[in-house]
Amino acid sequence: MRSEQVFSVQGDAELIARAGHLFEAAQTEFLCAARDLKTWSQPEARAAIQNRIRTTDSSDFTARKLLSPLALADEEARAHLRLVQSKGALVRISGSSLPHETILIDRRVMILAGRVTPTGREYTVTTSQILVDGVHSLFRAIWDNAVDLDTYLRSDVPHLDADGHMILEALGSGMTDESAAKRLGVSLRTYRRRVAELMAKLEADSRFQAGMRAGELRLPR
């Protein structure tokens, strides 16, 4: 009979030092649930997860990331998730609250994220089969009702009026602000204000990001 282990660590550095080998030992399944991208945010933890995904043959290994909409807070976060997805992970967004932020490895090890303290976040690592199976079942139930990343992003489409679509077209064509303003029949100042409003609506920090976000959402231009 396998002996059960339970121990707690403080902060990502200690987590990787004491449990990092568990990430590399994953053979069949790696599940990760988090409300946002800050939970497993430190370079050591993120690198361990990405290395596990990158070095595994997808035909016999499954990596799943289950996140809340908070994980899509900005373009950098969305870009990170698209990168993770390109490495072979399955990414879904859940509108339901996640009762546990956790990592499950091969249905034999569970790492639960606890409270945040001044010295780092607390984590509990356990091999208790009863606890692992219970959280695993909860994870799969939420996963089955969640939406895959691409579908969620396409559904989160802001409404743009005719001028908004014309501005997108102007940005995509490389047209100067002066020419675009003249085409819309507005002043240069008004045009630039509308560009800024469009960028805010698309949650973009630059005109280039606005174009990328429009393509991501498949907005007509």
Side-chain angles (χ1 to χ4, degrees):
M1 183 176 178
R2 188 183 69 183
S3 60
E4 295 182 352
Q5 297 182 7
V6 179
F7 63 87
S8 296
V9 297
Q10 198 83 22
D12 286 49
E14 187 179 356
L15 173 65
I16 296 304
R18 295 193 59 186
H21 64 286
L22 298 173
F23 293 90
E24 297 300 324
Q27 297 296 317
T28 60
E29 187 178 60
F30 190 98
L31 310 182
C32 176
R35 295 186 181 92
D36 53 46
L37 298 185
K38 296 178 181 179
T39 306
W40 318 99
S41 61
Q42 295 304 309
E44 297 92 342
R46 183 170 288 185
I49 295 172
Q50 290 179 335
N51 286 339
R52 178 65 266 177
I53 295 171
R54 182 165 51 246
T55 59
T56 304
D57 184 351
S58 60
S59 65
D60 57 13
F61 183 86
T62 301
R64 304 177 194 270
K65 288 183 72 74
L66 180 62
L67 302 158
S68 80
L70 292 175
L72 306 175
D74 52 44
E75 178 57 31
E76 182 180 358
R78 290 190 288 266
H80 170 71
L81 290 177
R82 287 193 294 268
L83 175 63
V84 169
Q85 189 173 244
S86 73
K87 299 297 183 181
L90 303 174
V91 182
R92 289 191 179 184
I93 308 299
S94 173
S96 303
S97 60
L98 304 177
H100 301 288
E101 293 187 280
T102 185
I103 283 176
L104 293 157
I105 302 172
D106 294 343
R107 295 195 69 167
R108 59 182 179 80
V109 179
M110 176 171 64
I111 304 170
L112 281 174
R115 66 190 182 94
V116 178
T117 73
T119 56
R121 192 155 193 175
E122 292 182 349
Y123 298 98
T124 299
V125 183
T126 180
T127 60
S128 168
Q129 201 60 56
I130 292 177
L131 294 177
V132 171
D133 287 346
V135 175
H136 188 280
S137 296
L138 182 59
F139 180 101
R140 287 310 303 263
I142 299 176
W143 175 270
D144 289 343
N145 288 290
V147 180
D148 72 85
L149 177 64
D150 293 336
T151 301
Y152 188 92
L153 289 175
R154 286 197 298 270
S155 67
D156 188 27
V157 179
H159 172 73
L160 299 183
D161 59 17
D163 283 354
H165 288 291
M166 290 181 67
I167 292 172
L168 272 182
E169 182 180 354
L171 294 177
S173 67
M175 187 181 299
T176 65
D177 286 1
E178 290 78 5
S179 298
K182 184 176 180 180
R183 182 178 178 184
L184 266 69
V186 297
S187 68
L188 181 60
R189 182 177 180 180
T190 298
Y191 173 77
R192 287 176 174 167
R193 176 176 57 80
R194 291 186 180 177
V195 169
E197 292 171 350
L198 175 64
M199 288 168 54
K201 186 171 289 189
L202 293 175
E203 299 179 4
D205 297 324
S206 68
R207 295 185 177 197
F208 175 77
Q209 279 191 0
M212 293 289 292
R213 180 71 170 140
E216 174 188 284
L217 297 174
R218 298 184 181 179
L219 293 172
R221 288 184 285 180

